[in-house]
Amino acid sequence: MGCCSGRCTLIFICTLQLVLALERQVFDFLGYQWAPILANFFHIIIVILGLFGTIQYRPRYIIVYTVWAALWVAWNVFIICFYLDVGGLSKDSDLLTFNISAHHSWWSEHGPGCVRREMPQAPGVRTTESHSYITVMGCLMDYQYIEVMHSSTQILVALLGFVYACYVVSAITEEEDSFDFIGGFDPFPLYHVNEKPSHLLLKPMYLST
């Protein structure tokens, strides 16, 4: 009963992780954040693997998911440090785009209440664009805190998944051990009928007269 409850909870957690990962992947694509895009891709693959292992009673797949959950927590801690400028990191750098482009988080321009301020092209300056981007004003929340909230949610759900994955692996292993103990995997069960020898010794019979 406990294993069934743990499996159902882990299935729900994996499903929630998939939803959150897909939501985050969409906004990272919109912001051209290539490093998070790759991380989200691997995260989705491993979560699907863990979900499959939970449904099909495959403890090895769940163990892989457990190891990834720990790495996923570490990755999101790094993202939090990046956006809060901790440890020499800077949210204004191009680290998450592999220095390919100067794009930043999609939320930096499209956060709640944000209004983009643009000005017409200056006289005498010829560019391919009709206007140049100046600044963003009126945001109800700075974009770095939105990213921190996303990563914090990911950490919380990953920790829950880690705990329940360890519990499910332990429960499945105990069930397999107990089944093996009572002879479930023994080709010769405890209660079996001794086979008769394939050859019989024929003894001569003498009839008394």
Side-chain angles (χ1 to χ4, degrees), residues 83-160:
Y83 281 106
L84 295 182
D85 300 333
V86 177
L89 299 172
S90 174
K91 61 181 177 295
D92 296 324
S93 68
D94 299 328
L95 182 62
L96 298 185
T97 60
F98 298 134
N99 295 321
I100 297 176
S101 64
H103 290 89
H104 297 287
S105 172
W106 182 83
W107 297 104
S108 63
E109 298 180 10
H110 304 86
C114 291
V115 177
R116 298 173 56 179
R117 296 293 184 183
E118 300 173 353
M119 60 176 290
Q121 181 176 328
V125 178
R126 295 182 179 180
T127 61
T128 58
E129 298 181 355
S130 59
H131 56 264
S132 57
Y133 167 74
I134 300 300
T135 186
V136 175
M137 301 181 63
C139 295
L140 300 178
M141 179 181 295
D142 292 337
Y143 75 93
Q144 62 265 29
Y145 299 120
I146 298 177
E147 293 287 356
V148 168
M149 290 174 58
H150 273 86
S151 294
S152 300
T153 303
Q154 294 284 344
I155 290 174
L156 177 61
V157 179
L159 288 176
L160 290 175

